[in-house]
Amino acid sequence: MGSSKLRVLDTHMDVKPSAAFTARELPLPTFDVPYFKYIDEEDEEDEWSSRSQSSTEDDSVDSLLSDRYMVVSGTPEKILEHLLNDLHLDDVQDKETDTLLDDFLLTYTVFMTTDDLCQALLRHYCAKKYDGKADSPEALCTKRKVLLLASQWTALYKDWLHDDEHSKLFLKTLYRYVLDDVYEYPILEKELKEFQKVLRIHRRHTVDEYSPHRKNRALFHQFSLKENWLQHRGNVNEIEEIFCRVYITDHSYVSIRTKVSSSVQDILKIVAERIQHPEEDLALVTVTFSGEKHELLPTEMALSKSLESTSRIYTYRKSDTLNPFAENEETQHRSVRILGMNTWDLALELTSFDWSLFNSIHEQELIYFTFSRQGKGENTLNLSLLLQRCNEVQLWVATEILLCNHLGKRVQLVKKFIKIAAHCKAQRNLNSFFAIIMGLNTASVCRLSQTWEKIPGKFKKLFSELESLTDPSLNHKAYRDAFKKMKPPKIPFMPLLLKDVTFIHEGNKTFLDNLVNFEKLHMIADTVRSLRYCRNNQFGKCGPKEHQEAKFYTNHLLVIDNQQTLFELSHRIEPRI
């Protein structure tokens, strides 16, 4: 439908949307929202003759409405076609078009595969459009628009394209096509250089080199095939940091953030310091769920075995033939180290840790997480780590308080966590802020009446004020209002952001009459885009020697992840009267 045009239809007409594409006018305050559909030029006169007669004012409204619309639904092919038609090649892009392009790139995996997108773009690039001559200027324009969209796509997904063979083949193929066309269309030289940057091709070209008279023209196809573009990540990089849980008992573990290449000795050093036990008396052991044990040698890489889904990694005592720790035994005679640390430094390190995870989350991870597509685990790794961290901070707060047998120190601990929560809010880290408040509100901590009675009034008031921000009433209005006023950089409470995306997903159909409900996808993309605003600026980094004790403490949390065990500890330190 190359000659089709968008026209305004009378809002009072009963018009059935096109089976291929529908669009909706952007809302204006003074009139109803009209609908659009494609009209063939040969049908245009009949279509417009069926409209009711409009007043002069209505005609002026129609003129105001021209070219101001948004996609509501359509087939994937028609949405892509509309997107390409509406792209501008100048430096100043239309805001609505930019948003539509971003919506499409963020959500296309919901309704088409990456292979489908790549094949469609290649078809559009190679399409011949005629105006009575050979290749028309419109064909060149389409080529440049395809290259612009491909450039935006690679910029948005960056290293996500490493592991997708379709994407790699598509970019190489498209690069070859540009090489073939650049002599005939010298204006494509700019796009060619952009592709060289993406593919990391360092050879310099000039238009003369692409001349069809050159004998060794095939040479230009060879160097583009090398696997030197966007160096493939492979599996987990040895220098990449991950979470590793080293269990001390069946229900408690030390959460260690460490490099994949860390040795058993490196892990043991951290665990020994965290649980305050002699390192030479400890060993790392993998225990399968069937009960089989395997001791790891000090020079081995610990994480390659601990990452197996059928086993856990434990720390055992070498004495008594690898005798494991009994429940709560490791906490006896344990000093409360956190009481000697500065609360602002602790909050700063919590924020630094969360920011490193939050800043690594790709917007597409929220899409995959919500729609539960295949490969979800691989495609939501950074998001899952931040959610895990939020849960662990909540458990860490409860664990620290419930492992403290001394009433006076326990009161100090609660006061300290209230101050840390206030500092996290001041540092605009709402993820740890929520986690700490929820940890203090855990049932096993709330029941400690003797402890809470001794909390000074000003701390109770501060806690009440902080707690009010976590009030879920009116769709978390208190939190949303406070967060909106905060300037970036800031870290949102990720579970609530995911809840928003999930509610949009579950409350709206993805397909309407076999057409993609693009309005729903726009709402989801608009919510996901909030990550960009939160990450507009960067948090300041601490010096390498600052807050080392606080950094070690917050990077390696000691956690009890069993609610029954936490309740037993709670009743032990403050028995029911």
Side-chain angles (χ1 to χ4, degrees):
M1 198 180 297
S3 61
S4 299
K5 296 182 180 179
L6 285 174
R7 291 289 188 249
V8 183
L9 297 183
D10 194 292
T11 58
H12 302 291
M13 293 173 58
D14 184 15
V15 179
K16 185 177 180 180
S18 165
F21 186 89
T22 60
R24 192 186 67 188
E25 185 68 24
L26 291 176
L28 294 175
T30 56
F31 43 79
D32 295 336
V33 180
Y35 286 80
F36 290 78
K37 77 170 190 176
Y38 275 110
I39 303 172
D40 291 331
E41 286 190 351
E42 55 268 24
D43 299 330
E44 186 175 320
E45 184 177 348
D46 293 338
E47 189 71 53
W48 281 91
S49 64
S50 66
R51 293 186 56 190
S52 60
Q53 295 299 319
S54 302
S55 66
T56 305
E57 181 179 353
D58 290 335
D59 292 336
S60 64
V61 167
D62 284 348
S63 65
L64 288 172
L65 289 174
S66 62
D67 298 329
R68 300 188 69 244
Y69 54 86
M70 63 179 288
V71 175
V72 172
S73 60
T75 62
E77 295 78 10
K78 281 296 179 183
I79 292 174
L80 179 58
E81 180 183 326
H82 165 69
L83 185 61
L84 288 171
N85 287 338
D86 215 39
L87 276 179
H88 295 281
L89 292 174
D90 49 30
D91 293 334
V92 181
Q93 283 280 7
D94 179 68
K95 184 177 180 181
E96 283 77 15
T97 303
D98 282 347
T99 301
L100 178 60
L101 173 60
D102 200 50
D103 290 346
F104 178 85
L105 293 178
L106 277 175
T107 62
Y108 79 88
T109 54
V110 173
F111 54 85
M112 65 192 306
T113 66
T114 296
D115 185 38
D116 290 338
L117 174 64
C118 294
Q119 293 300 322
L121 289 176
L122 289 177
R123 285 196 300 271
H124 279 285
Y125 183 88
C126 297
K128 303 283 187 180
K129 297 188 178 181
Y130 299 96
D131 57 357
K133 302 178 182 179
D135 287 350
S136 67
E138 189 180 355
L140 173 60
C141 183
T142 300
K143 291 178 186 293
R144 295 185 63 199
K145 287 182 177 182
V146 169
L147 295 175
L148 175 60
L149 192 149
S151 175
Q152 297 277 16
W153 178 59
T154 54
L156 178 63
Y157 285 89
K158 297 177 182 176
D159 58 350
W160 269 51
L161 303 181
H162 292 224
D163 302 323
D164 191 281
E165 293 302 321
H166 295 306
S167 304
K168 294 165 70 174
L169 180 60
F170 162 71
L171 289 173
K172 292 175 184 177
T173 303
L174 189 57
Y175 181 72
R176 289 192 188 116
Y177 288 168
V178 181
L179 277 175
D180 288 338
D181 291 340
V182 75
Y183 180 76
E184 186 175 357
Y185 304 112
I187 196 172
L188 294 179
E189 175 78 9
K190 180 181 178 181
E191 283 80 1
L192 185 69
K193 290 181 179 179
E194 289 299 319
F195 265 88
Q196 289 172 345
K197 293 178 183 178
V198 171
L199 302 178
R200 294 185 181 176
I201 295 174
H202 304 296
R203 174 169 177 156
R204 299 183 62 181
H205 303 282
T206 63
V207 173
D208 289 341
E209 287 182 297
Y210 309 121
S211 170
H213 301 296
R214 287 186 59 97
K215 295 180 180 179
N216 57 345
R217 183 183 177 108
L219 170 68
F220 303 119
H221 298 293
Q222 296 175 5
F223 62 85
S224 63
L225 297 176
K226 295 180 181 178
E227 290 291 340
N228 63 340
W229 75 290
L230 291 175
Q231 296 296 323
H232 194 284
R233 289 178 300 175
N235 295 322
V236 185
N237 194 303
E238 288 190 357
I239 64 171
E240 187 177 349
E241 290 187 333
I242 64 167
F243 281 157
C244 169
R245 291 181 176 181
V246 180
Y247 282 82
I248 304 166
T249 70
D250 286 338
H251 302 304
S252 63
Y253 62 85
V254 175
S255 180
I256 298 175
R257 187 183 185 185
T258 186
K259 292 182 174 61
V260 175
S261 57
S262 296
S263 66
V264 170
Q265 192 170 6
D266 295 332
I267 302 295
L268 276 176
K269 183 177 181 180
I270 294 172
V271 174
E273 185 174 352
R274 194 63 182 84
I275 68 175
Q276 300 171 41
H277 199 92
E279 180 184 345
E280 58 274 9
D281 190 34
L282 298 177
L284 284 190
V285 180
T286 56
V287 181
T288 65
F289 294 137
S290 62
E292 298 179 8
K293 301 175 183 177
H294 173 71
E295 183 178 358
L296 302 176
L297 299 177
T299 55
E300 280 189 79
M301 287 178 59
L303 303 185
S304 60
K305 294 190 178 293
S306 65
L307 291 176
E308 295 178 7
S309 59
T310 58
S311 64
R312 281 181 173 181
I313 186 167
Y314 279 77
T315 180
Y316 274 37
R317 286 180 298 202
K318 292 180 180 177
S319 56
D320 302 326
T321 317
L322 293 177
N323 186 29
F325 286 95
E327 290 290 346
N328 304 323
E329 180 185 353
E330 83 286 355
T331 65
Q332 293 181 0
H333 312 296
R334 174 178 173 272
S335 62
V336 187
R337 296 169 61 188
I338 189 175
L339 292 178
M341 300 180 193
N342 182 277
T343 52
W344 180 264
D345 291 348
L346 285 166
L348 201 61
E349 292 303 331
L350 285 171
T351 299
S352 176
F353 193 105
D354 286 359
W355 178 255
S356 65
L357 295 176
F358 175 64
N359 205 31
S360 300
I361 295 174
H362 194 284
E363 295 158 348
Q364 181 69 203
E365 293 190 46
L366 279 73
I367 307 292
Y368 272 96
F369 191 94
T370 303
F371 285 85
S372 300
R373 299 187 64 81
Q374 291 182 354
K376 172 184 170 183
E378 298 176 0
N379 294 322
T380 61
L381 178 61
N382 297 308
L383 176 59
S384 298
L385 287 177
L386 185 59
L387 294 175
Q388 178 184 332
R389 173 67 173 184
C390 181
N391 186 55
E392 287 184 349
V393 169
Q394 179 182 348
L395 291 170
W396 164 64
V397 171
T399 299
E400 289 290 338
I401 294 172
L402 297 173
L403 287 179
C404 184
N405 296 319
H406 191 276
L407 178 60
K409 289 184 178 180
R410 199 159 59 247
V411 171
Q412 293 180 50
L413 264 178
V414 173
K415 289 166 55 180
K416 206 166 191 74
F417 279 121
I418 293 173
K419 290 175 69 175
I420 293 172
H423 293 327
C424 284
K425 175 178 174 289
Q427 294 169 14
R428 305 186 295 281
N429 177 9
L430 278 299
N431 207 61
S432 280
F433 166 77
F434 258 81
I436 294 171
I437 297 300
M438 289 189 297
L440 291 170
N441 276 325
T442 302
S444 53
V445 175
C446 281
R447 66 165 298 278
L448 300 177
S449 56
Q450 297 175 38
T451 303
W452 286 101
E453 285 174 3
K454 292 186 176 294
I455 302 295
K458 66 175 184 179
F459 278 92
K460 288 182 179 179
K461 181 181 178 182
L462 174 60
F463 179 65
S464 179
E465 292 173 355
L466 298 175
E467 192 179 24
S468 66
L469 289 179
T470 66
D471 182 5
S473 62
L474 299 176
N475 194 19
H476 289 272
K477 185 178 186 303
Y479 160 76
R480 295 182 191 279
D481 290 345
F483 190 71
K484 189 180 298 183
K485 294 177 182 177
M486 295 179 180
K487 296 180 180 180
K490 53 185 179 180
I491 305 174
F493 180 50
M494 286 305 297
L496 184 56
L497 185 60
L498 285 172
K499 175 186 173 184
D500 291 343
V501 179
T502 302
F503 270 34
I504 295 172
H505 172 47
E506 294 182 348
N508 300 273
K509 293 182 179 180
T510 305
F511 296 92
L512 298 172
D513 298 327
N514 295 321
L515 300 180
V516 178
N517 183 6
F518 202 76
E519 188 172 15
K520 165 187 173 175
L521 300 182
H522 164 70
M523 290 190 290
I524 289 178
D526 211 34
T527 305
V528 169
R529 263 192 296 270
S530 64
L531 295 186
R532 295 181 197 176
Y533 177 71
C534 294
R535 298 190 290 213
N536 267 351
N537 298 305
Q538 295 288 321
F539 278 107
K541 295 183 178 180
C542 305
K545 294 185 179 180
E546 293 183 44
H547 319 140
Q548 283 302 303
E549 186 178 16
K551 183 175 183 178
F552 177 86
Y553 198 81
T554 54
N555 278 20
H556 312 302
L557 299 180
L558 176 60
V559 169
I560 295 176
D561 64 349
N562 182 278
Q563 292 298 325
Q564 182 61 37
T565 302
L566 291 174
F567 265 106
E568 290 174 1
L569 286 171
S570 179
H571 283 282
R572 189 188 69 178
I573 59 177
E574 289 193 21
R576 182 180 300 165
I577 299 175

mmCIF file of all heavy atoms in Angstrom, residues 78 245 305 506 516 563:
data_model
loop_
_atom_site.group_PDB
_atom_site.id
_atom_site.type_symbol
_atom_site.label_atom_id
_atom_site.label_comp_id
_atom_site.label_asym_id
_atom_site.label_seq_id
_atom_site.Cartn_x
_atom_site.Cartn_y
_atom_site.Cartn_z
ATOM 1 N N LYS A 78 3.120 -3.636 9.624
ATOM 2 C CA LYS A 78 2.581 -2.299 9.401
ATOM 3 C C LYS A 78 3.135 -1.287 10.410
ATOM 4 O O LYS A 78 3.346 -0.120 10.088
ATOM 5 C CB LYS A 78 1.046 -2.321 9.473
ATOM 6 C CG LYS A 78 0.397 -2.828 8.206
ATOM 7 C CD LYS A 78 0.693 -1.880 7.046
ATOM 8 C CE LYS A 78 0.068 -2.380 5.755
ATOM 9 N NZ LYS A 78 0.425 -1.500 4.623
ATOM 10 N N ARG A 245 26.653 -17.494 47.561
ATOM 11 C CA ARG A 245 26.168 -17.802 48.909
ATOM 12 C C ARG A 245 26.997 -18.931 49.493
ATOM 13 O O ARG A 245 27.011 -20.034 48.952
ATOM 14 C CB ARG A 245 24.696 -18.217 48.868
ATOM 15 C CG ARG A 245 23.742 -17.098 48.519
ATOM 16 C CD ARG A 245 22.309 -17.594 48.538
ATOM 17 N NE ARG A 245 21.361 -16.515 48.293
ATOM 18 C CZ ARG A 245 20.041 -16.666 48.267
ATOM 19 N NH1 ARG A 245 19.514 -17.873 48.469
ATOM 20 N NH2 ARG A 245 19.247 -15.638 48.042
ATOM 21 N N LYS A 305 32.133 -24.749 40.789
ATOM 22 C CA LYS A 305 31.384 -25.868 41.356
ATOM 23 C C LYS A 305 30.147 -25.384 42.113
ATOM 24 O O LYS A 305 29.115 -26.016 42.102
ATOM 25 C CB LYS A 305 32.282 -26.702 42.277
ATOM 26 C CG LYS A 305 33.409 -27.397 41.521
ATOM 27 C CD LYS A 305 34.117 -28.385 42.402
ATOM 28 C CE LYS A 305 35.222 -29.106 41.619
ATOM 29 N NZ LYS A 305 34.634 -29.972 40.570
ATOM 30 N N GLU A 506 -0.973 -7.277 32.817
ATOM 31 C CA GLU A 506 -2.101 -8.154 33.138
ATOM 32 C C GLU A 506 -3.448 -7.470 32.935
ATOM 33 O O GLU A 506 -4.465 -8.135 32.764
ATOM 34 C CB GLU A 506 -1.975 -8.652 34.580
ATOM 35 C CG GLU A 506 -0.760 -9.558 34.793
ATOM 36 C CD GLU A 506 -0.662 -10.082 36.208
ATOM 37 O OE1 GLU A 506 -1.408 -9.565 37.083
ATOM 38 O OE2 GLU A 506 0.159 -10.987 36.449
ATOM 39 N N VAL A 516 -1.333 -6.204 17.131
ATOM 40 C CA VAL A 516 -0.520 -5.891 18.306
ATOM 41 C C VAL A 516 -1.105 -4.670 19.003
ATOM 42 O O VAL A 516 -1.299 -3.619 18.378
ATOM 43 C CB VAL A 516 0.943 -5.599 17.900
ATOM 44 C CG1 VAL A 516 1.764 -5.234 19.126
ATOM 45 C CG2 VAL A 516 1.550 -6.791 17.181
ATOM 46 N N GLN A 563 12.421 -18.163 58.048
ATOM 47 C CA GLN A 563 11.571 -17.411 58.978
ATOM 48 C C GLN A 563 11.350 -18.165 60.288
ATOM 49 O O GLN A 563 11.273 -17.561 61.364
ATOM 50 C CB GLN A 563 10.210 -17.114 58.316
ATOM 51 C CG GLN A 563 10.294 -16.137 57.155
ATOM 52 C CD GLN A 563 10.806 -14.771 57.579
ATOM 53 O OE1 GLN A 563 10.525 -14.292 58.686
ATOM 54 N NE2 GLN A 563 11.575 -14.131 56.703
#
